[in-house]
């Protein structure tokens, strides 16, 4: 019995020993296989460790950002709201409701062909040299107008002046780059004259109107551009060519404004003529030297309207000379226009038969 038990124990011991040896052999074989794989493919393990490190970096970064947002939740909320408001304001400002022309060159040509009307505020009067028209010097009446967007037309004078003072361009003196250069159609600046016992400077009344930042409606009649006379590099016999300078342009307009707070607008040129402060030009606009007409309407209907407008100004000039207002109170002015003065005297002194005849 004892011998049998000893035999069983020795058999089991030998069996377990052989099992352990087989397991150790398999482990050694697996380790050797792994080492061979590492030697044959060394980049595989490096890529795995590197990918794992990038995932860890991204995870830590997202965790840090979320912690910052959680710690500053109010600041993040206000920043988001402010961003939405600024983007909305920029989008609204880019709509036609807030759009305006910053230079004459920005106005489409169709506006002049169809004689569209734009609205703005008179800001400044410009001095310009005259143009010799056969011994008669014609000096155009020029002013600077700030075009108003549809929303800007609702601004009062005080609000407009406050905006002009707080505008970023106010401290840099760049407002001239943001204004439209406008010529008042059909009139020209007269020489200096005596009015009511004192010498009224040319354009003095118009400057007072500009100081009031008067709202005006400008009917676009024509666009003029300065001619750039520059040498052209070419082999032809022509050494020069004329081309309009796109940056320096003037819009010729019929301007209407509200006089004395009146609800209805009146024609500015006609008012100046009736007050004896300007002369009627030889045409609807004065074209200075080195300038050319770029855009205008050539329709017969518009030309007939121009003729009627000039006749209306001549009647206003006749009434001003008859009443001796403004420049017509100066004897030298009346002496220079003997044709008109004699016509007025004839109307006053002639009898009915002479007028009919």
């Amino acid at each position: 019995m004892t011998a049998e038990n000893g035999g069983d124990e020795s058999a089991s011991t030998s069996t377990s020993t052989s099992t352990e040896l087989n397991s150790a052999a398999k482990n050694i074989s697996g380790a050797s296989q792994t080492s061979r794989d590492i030697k044959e493919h060394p980049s595989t393990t490096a890529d795995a460790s590197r990918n794992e490190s990038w995932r860890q970096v991204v995870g830590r970064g997202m965790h840090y950002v979320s912690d910052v947002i959680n710690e500053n939740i109010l600041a993040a909320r206000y920043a988001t709201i402010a961003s939405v408001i600024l983007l909305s304001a920029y989008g609204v400002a880019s709509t036609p409701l807030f759009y305006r022309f910053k230079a004459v060159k920005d106005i489409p040509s169709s506006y002049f062909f169809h004689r569209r009307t734009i609205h703005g505020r008179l800001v400044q009067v410009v001095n310009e040299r005259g143009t010799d028209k056969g011994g008669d010097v014609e000096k155009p009446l020029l002013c600077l107008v700030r075009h108003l967007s549809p929303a800007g037309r609702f601004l009062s004078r005080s609000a407009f002046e406050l905006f002009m003072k707080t505008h970023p361009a106010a401290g840099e003196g760049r407002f001239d780059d943001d204004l439209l250069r406008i010529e008042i159609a059909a009139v020209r600046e007269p020489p200096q004259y005596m009015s009511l016992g004192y010498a009224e400077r040319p354009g003095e009344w118009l400057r007072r109107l500009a100081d009031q930042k008067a709202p005006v409606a400008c009917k676009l009649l024509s666009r003029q551009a300065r001619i750039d006379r520059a040498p052209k590099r070419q082999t032809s016999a022509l050494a020069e060519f004329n081309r309009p300078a796109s940056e320096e342009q003037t819009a010729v307009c019929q301007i209407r404004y509200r006089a004395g707070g009146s609800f209805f607008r009146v024609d500015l040129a006609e008012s100046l003529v009736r007050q004896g402060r300007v002369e009627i030009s030889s045409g609807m606009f004065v074209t200075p030297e080195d300038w050319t007409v770029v855009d205008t309407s050539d329709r017969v209907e518009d030309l007939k309207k121009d003729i009627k407008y000039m006749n209306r100004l001549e009647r206003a000039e006749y009434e001003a000379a008859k009443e001796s207002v403004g420049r017509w109170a100066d004897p030298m002015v009346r002496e220079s226009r003997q044709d008109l003065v004699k016509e007025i005297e004839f109307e006053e002194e002639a009898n009915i038969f002479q007028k009919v005849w």
Side-chain angles (χ1 to χ4, degrees):
M1 188 71 177
T2 305
E4 292 177 357
N5 292 337
D8 294 338
E9 290 177 357
S10 60
S12 62
T13 302
S14 61
T15 302
S16 61
T17 301
S18 62
T19 302
E20 291 176 356
L21 291 175
N22 292 333
S23 176
K26 290 180 179 180
N27 291 337
I28 292 173
S29 176
S32 62
Q33 182 66 29
T34 302
S35 63
R36 284 196 302 271
D37 292 341
I38 293 174
K39 290 180 181 180
E40 293 176 358
H41 307 284
S43 61
T44 304
T45 56
D47 293 340
S49 61
R50 184 162 54 250
N51 292 336
E52 184 178 0
S53 64
W54 276 109
R55 287 196 297 269
Q56 291 176 353
V57 170
V58 173
R60 285 195 300 269
M62 294 180 65
H63 182 69
Y64 175 77
V65 171
S66 62
D67 289 342
V68 171
I69 294 176
N70 291 331
E71 293 175 358
N72 304 274
I73 188 66
L74 291 179
R77 183 182 301 171
Y78 291 146
T80 303
I81 295 174
S83 300
V84 172
I85 293 175
L86 291 176
L87 290 175
S88 301
Y90 176 78
V92 172
S94 302
T95 60
L97 185 63
F98 293 89
Y99 180 78
R100 63 183 187 86
F101 299 118
K102 297 182 179 180
V104 176
K105 63 183 180 63
D106 298 334
I107 304 176
S109 299
S110 59
Y111 277 51
F112 295 93
F113 295 147
H114 300 289
R115 297 197 167 185
R116 297 277 297 275
T117 299
I118 61 176
H119 298 269
R121 283 186 178 269
L122 185 62
V123 175
Q124 186 179 344
V125 179
V126 181
N127 291 324
E128 187 76 4
R129 63 185 181 88
T131 302
D132 191 356
K133 297 286 186 178
D136 186 13
V137 177
E138 289 193 344
K139 191 174 183 181
L141 275 177
L142 297 172
C143 56
L144 297 180
V145 174
R146 181 181 176 86
H147 179 230
L148 298 177
S149 64
R153 293 175 57 184
F154 292 97
L155 291 176
S156 62
R157 175 187 171 184
S158 58
F160 177 78
E161 291 179 344
L162 178 63
F163 172 78
M164 295 288 285
K165 291 179 181 179
T166 57
H167 195 277
E172 303 178 6
R174 294 187 293 103
F175 267 129
D176 290 355
D177 300 334
D178 203 19
L179 302 176
L180 304 182
R181 178 185 167 102
I182 303 295
E183 176 185 335
I184 304 177
V187 293
R188 62 183 181 181
E189 186 175 302
Q192 190 171 4
Y193 57 88
M194 298 294 295
S195 177
L196 299 178
Y198 74 97
E200 186 175 16
R201 294 179 301 171
E204 182 178 346
W205 181 85
L206 193 59
R207 289 185 179 87
R208 290 198 297 266
L209 196 64
D211 293 337
Q212 299 173 5
K213 303 296 185 293
V216 293
C218 304
K219 183 178 181 181
L220 301 171
L221 304 182
S222 174
R223 190 208 315 260
Q224 298 178 352
R226 184 183 292 276
I227 298 175
D228 183 15
R229 301 182 183 274
K232 185 177 181 180
R233 296 178 181 178
Q234 57 182 4
T235 57
S236 63
L238 296 177
E240 292 186 352
F241 74 104
N242 297 339
R243 59 182 178 86
S246 60
E247 296 299 327
E248 193 170 1
Q249 298 182 359
T250 301
V252 182
C253 304
Q254 290 181 8
I255 300 179
R256 300 178 66 85
Y257 78 106
R258 290 189 176 93
S262 174
F263 180 78
F264 298 100
R265 289 189 176 95
V266 296
D267 188 81
L268 179 58
E270 186 176 358
S271 297
L272 292 172
V273 172
R274 288 188 181 277
Q275 297 168 9
R277 289 189 165 95
V278 295
E279 292 180 338
I280 300 177
S281 62
S282 58
M284 283 296 293
F285 47 85
V286 178
T287 305
E289 297 179 358
D290 297 335
W291 287 74
T292 183
V293 177
V294 178
D295 297 317
T296 188
S297 173
D298 56 357
R299 295 182 300 180
V300 177
E301 296 81 1
D302 293 332
L303 297 178
K304 290 181 179 180
K305 292 179 181 178
D306 293 342
I307 295 174
K308 290 181 180 179
Y309 184 72
M310 295 293 294
N311 293 336
R312 196 173 77 189
L313 293 183
E314 291 177 356
R315 290 194 298 269
E317 185 181 48
Y318 178 87
E319 295 295 332
K322 184 177 180 179
E323 299 294 333
S324 298
V325 297
R327 59 189 293 269
W328 295 105
D330 191 340
M332 296 186 63
V333 174
R334 300 184 72 88
E335 183 68 23
S336 62
R337 291 294 306 275
Q338 281 294 315
D339 55 340
L340 183 58
V341 173
K342 289 181 178 180
E343 182 179 352
I344 295 172
E345 293 176 351
F346 176 80
E347 289 290 334
E348 292 177 349
E349 299 175 359
N351 55 42
I352 188 173
F353 296 105
Q354 290 175 325
K355 293 179 179 179
V356 173
W357 178 257

